[in-house]
Amino acid sequence: MKIPVSVRSSIAGCGIFKELAEKRSVLESQGFNIYDFSIEMPDMPPSLDIRESVSGSATKAWNYSYSLTDMPQLRDAVFSWYHTRYSVTLDPADEIMSAEGKEDALFCLLNVLTDPGDKVLLTDPCSPYYLSILRLSGCVPVFMPLSEENDFLPVLSDISPSDAASAKAMIISYPNDPTSATAPDSFYEELIGFASKNNIAVIHDNSYSDISYDGITGKSFLYFDGAKEIGAEINSLSSSYSAYGLKAAFIVGNKEIISACASLKACTSKGSFYPVQYGIIAALTSDQSAVEETISLFEYRRDTMLEALGGTGLKCAPCRGTPFMWVKLPEHIKDDRAFALELLEKAHVLVTPGSAFGSCGKGYIRIALNRRRPFLLEACEAMKRSGLLDKCC
């Protein structure tokens, strides 16, 4: 018997990510060392406070029961952290809930804000996870192009009146993956007015708000007047606290949205594992110096790459946030996907082609700042030796 596989299961697809992973596997089996800059991978441990809180609570037998809901201590920790970090006041009872990672949070939000066939405004380029989750939810993406000329911000006035009137939700994220751009206050103010006028619910992914450079301080979407009336925000501990595997995230904002998300989660989950909740509490209530060190390290790596790539013909977009760099390829390289594959083959350097993030990403590559300075410099030298950039110099 041939088991039928649903169309939905193949909607997201693997594409270039599967191809690059297979090629990497072959090269590693041949003994080659791969300089992997394709994804955000931690090389810094979470703080001792987080690790001890998770490990200590994991030894308690009663913490292996279903939590069913978030502990009051977790809600209070998020409340205090948002008030201190973003000057945003939340209601711990109605405007905060945990999620098993930002992907889980986004899936939950889309499924309470939309029905199959509804339009959702989405930036191009964007995280591939957004598009995959959107399609799995049965939504129809309406793309908002991002360009360097507009500082990688969507031009809301370019959205057609019909799309604006029919869209049910919008996904926004700044600091932005993959473009590394940040958004000024004026953008959020315009966004809230636009969404309110057109009855569009805003989902703001604020996972990279702490990873901001050059003196920029990341803000919460909810800091701006009217935001809580029309949207919700996702936040994650992964990058700021190096707690990637903990999958610790939360949704905050509009209480009707949070209530609907909680009802949906009650049907699909029996609550976040208690040690994860204790890890979140420890992260948000302990000394924040580890976060400052992480930001400084990412900024140092960015500066290292900017210097090392100088003279290669690669043009780095202003990288003001996120653990990534968005790099424009020179004119003679016509196919970013083919370039990424050839770079892996000849230089053993693995980057993500920009077209993996959308049609507006063509002609770019994304480099994750996931390794220390010697590794970065070695990889840049390998790129130069490959000869692929010779025509640029």
Side-chain angles (χ1 to χ4, degrees), residues 14-21 337-338 340-341 351-353 355-356:
C14 296
I16 186 62
F17 295 100
K18 182 173 184 291
E19 189 173 357
L20 287 168
R337 180 189 181 106
L341 289 166
V351 299
T352 307
S355 55

mmCIF file of all heavy atoms in Angstrom, residues 14-21 337-338 340-341 351-353 355-356:
data_model
loop_
_atom_site.group_PDB
_atom_site.id
_atom_site.type_symbol
_atom_site.label_atom_id
_atom_site.label_comp_id
_atom_site.label_asym_id
_atom_site.label_seq_id
_atom_site.Cartn_x
_atom_site.Cartn_y
_atom_site.Cartn_z
ATOM 1 N N CYS A 14 11.731 22.094 1.132
ATOM 2 C CA CYS A 14 13.083 22.202 1.706
ATOM 3 C C CYS A 14 13.992 23.038 0.814
ATOM 4 O O CYS A 14 14.811 23.792 1.283
ATOM 5 C CB CYS A 14 13.677 20.798 1.882
ATOM 6 S SG CYS A 14 12.771 19.782 3.055
ATOM 7 N N GLY A 15 13.856 22.850 -0.498
ATOM 8 C CA GLY A 15 14.581 23.672 -1.446
ATOM 9 C C GLY A 15 16.069 23.737 -1.212
ATOM 10 O O GLY A 15 16.738 22.731 -0.997
ATOM 11 N N ILE A 16 16.580 24.948 -1.220
ATOM 12 C CA ILE A 16 18.012 25.178 -1.149
ATOM 13 C C ILE A 16 18.599 24.705 0.174
ATOM 14 O O ILE A 16 19.744 24.261 0.236
ATOM 15 C CB ILE A 16 18.330 26.680 -1.381
ATOM 16 C CG1 ILE A 16 19.846 26.905 -1.452
ATOM 17 C CG2 ILE A 16 17.693 27.537 -0.311
ATOM 18 C CD1 ILE A 16 20.525 26.189 -2.592
ATOM 19 N N PHE A 17 17.826 24.754 1.251
ATOM 20 C CA PHE A 17 18.354 24.334 2.554
ATOM 21 C C PHE A 17 18.685 22.848 2.545
ATOM 22 O O PHE A 17 19.724 22.429 3.056
ATOM 23 C CB PHE A 17 17.337 24.651 3.654
ATOM 24 C CG PHE A 17 17.094 26.119 3.832
ATOM 25 C CD1 PHE A 17 15.983 26.722 3.274
ATOM 26 C CD2 PHE A 17 17.987 26.904 4.540
ATOM 27 C CE1 PHE A 17 15.755 28.082 3.422
ATOM 28 C CE2 PHE A 17 17.773 28.263 4.695
ATOM 29 C CZ PHE A 17 16.657 28.856 4.129
ATOM 30 N N LYS A 18 17.825 22.053 1.940
ATOM 31 C CA LYS A 18 18.076 20.623 1.835
ATOM 32 C C LYS A 18 19.275 20.355 0.926
ATOM 33 O O LYS A 18 20.135 19.527 1.226
ATOM 34 C CB LYS A 18 16.836 19.919 1.281
ATOM 35 C CG LYS A 18 16.952 18.399 1.172
ATOM 36 C CD LYS A 18 15.606 17.816 0.778
ATOM 37 C CE LYS A 18 15.654 16.290 0.743
ATOM 38 N NZ LYS A 18 16.467 15.782 -0.358
ATOM 39 N N GLU A 19 19.343 21.076 -0.168
ATOM 40 C CA GLU A 19 20.441 20.898 -1.115
ATOM 41 C C GLU A 19 21.784 21.260 -0.486
ATOM 42 O O GLU A 19 22.776 20.530 -0.635
ATOM 43 C CB GLU A 19 20.188 21.747 -2.361
ATOM 44 C CG GLU A 19 21.147 21.469 -3.509
ATOM 45 C CD GLU A 19 20.762 22.216 -4.775
ATOM 46 O OE1 GLU A 19 19.722 22.916 -4.784
ATOM 47 O OE2 GLU A 19 21.507 22.105 -5.768
ATOM 48 N N LEU A 20 21.841 22.375 0.232
ATOM 49 C CA LEU A 20 23.080 22.787 0.890
ATOM 50 C C LEU A 20 23.485 21.802 1.982
ATOM 51 O O LEU A 20 24.669 21.476 2.132
ATOM 52 C CB LEU A 20 22.910 24.185 1.482
ATOM 53 C CG LEU A 20 22.879 25.362 0.494
ATOM 54 C CD1 LEU A 20 22.423 26.628 1.192
ATOM 55 C CD2 LEU A 20 24.245 25.567 -0.153
ATOM 56 N N ALA A 21 22.502 21.326 2.744
ATOM 57 C CA ALA A 21 22.805 20.370 3.816
ATOM 58 C C ALA A 21 23.361 19.068 3.247
ATOM 59 O O ALA A 21 24.313 18.484 3.795
ATOM 60 C CB ALA A 21 21.547 20.096 4.631
ATOM 61 N N ARG A 337 21.942 31.608 -5.709
ATOM 62 C CA ARG A 337 21.830 30.194 -5.331
ATOM 63 C C ARG A 337 23.025 29.399 -5.865
ATOM 64 O O ARG A 337 23.664 28.640 -5.131
ATOM 65 C CB ARG A 337 20.518 29.630 -5.876
ATOM 66 C CG ARG A 337 20.265 28.166 -5.547
ATOM 67 C CD ARG A 337 19.048 27.652 -6.316
ATOM 68 N NE ARG A 337 18.765 26.267 -6.021
ATOM 69 C CZ ARG A 337 17.769 25.843 -5.267
ATOM 70 N NH1 ARG A 337 16.966 26.718 -4.697
ATOM 71 N NH2 ARG A 337 17.571 24.559 -5.054
ATOM 72 N N ALA A 338 23.342 29.611 -7.143
ATOM 73 C CA ALA A 338 24.479 28.914 -7.744
ATOM 74 C C ALA A 338 25.781 29.351 -7.079
ATOM 75 O O ALA A 338 26.685 28.536 -6.871
ATOM 76 C CB ALA A 338 24.531 29.197 -9.248
ATOM 77 N N ALA A 340 26.180 30.310 -3.925
ATOM 78 C CA ALA A 340 26.273 29.670 -2.614
ATOM 79 C C ALA A 340 26.729 28.219 -2.744
ATOM 80 O O ALA A 340 27.565 27.752 -1.960
ATOM 81 C CB ALA A 340 24.929 29.747 -1.898
ATOM 82 N N LEU A 341 26.210 27.524 -3.735
ATOM 83 C CA LEU A 341 26.603 26.132 -3.942
ATOM 84 C C LEU A 341 28.071 26.032 -4.370
ATOM 85 O O LEU A 341 28.818 25.156 -3.912
ATOM 86 C CB LEU A 341 25.698 25.487 -4.988
ATOM 87 C CG LEU A 341 24.259 25.218 -4.536
ATOM 88 C CD1 LEU A 341 23.375 24.900 -5.736
ATOM 89 C CD2 LEU A 341 24.223 24.074 -3.530
ATOM 90 N N VAL A 351 27.003 29.630 3.157
ATOM 91 C CA VAL A 351 26.160 30.793 3.414
ATOM 92 C C VAL A 351 24.776 30.502 2.859
ATOM 93 O O VAL A 351 24.579 29.538 2.123
ATOM 94 C CB VAL A 351 26.734 32.072 2.764
ATOM 95 C CG1 VAL A 351 28.105 32.405 3.329
ATOM 96 C CG2 VAL A 351 26.802 31.926 1.230
ATOM 97 N N THR A 352 23.810 31.326 3.192
ATOM 98 C CA THR A 352 22.455 31.142 2.686
ATOM 99 C C THR A 352 22.193 32.116 1.552
ATOM 100 O O THR A 352 22.373 33.331 1.736
ATOM 101 C CB THR A 352 21.416 31.369 3.797
ATOM 102 O OG1 THR A 352 21.740 30.553 4.917
ATOM 103 C CG2 THR A 352 20.029 30.993 3.301
ATOM 104 N N PRO A 353 21.782 31.632 0.381
ATOM 105 C CA PRO A 353 21.477 32.554 -0.717
ATOM 106 C C PRO A 353 20.255 33.402 -0.386
ATOM 107 O O PRO A 353 19.289 32.927 0.223
ATOM 108 C CB PRO A 353 21.197 31.611 -1.893
ATOM 109 C CG PRO A 353 20.811 30.316 -1.278
ATOM 110 C CD PRO A 353 21.580 30.227 0.006
ATOM 111 N N SER A 355 17.882 34.477 -2.188
ATOM 112 C CA SER A 355 16.621 34.077 -2.807
ATOM 113 C C SER A 355 15.858 33.076 -1.954
ATOM 114 O O SER A 355 14.657 32.869 -2.162
ATOM 115 C CB SER A 355 16.873 33.496 -4.202
ATOM 116 O OG SER A 355 17.802 32.430 -4.147
ATOM 117 N N ALA A 356 16.527 32.443 -0.965
ATOM 118 C CA ALA A 356 15.827 31.536 -0.050
ATOM 119 C C ALA A 356 14.855 32.295 0.842
ATOM 120 O O ALA A 356 13.962 31.687 1.444
ATOM 121 C CB ALA A 356 16.838 30.787 0.810
#
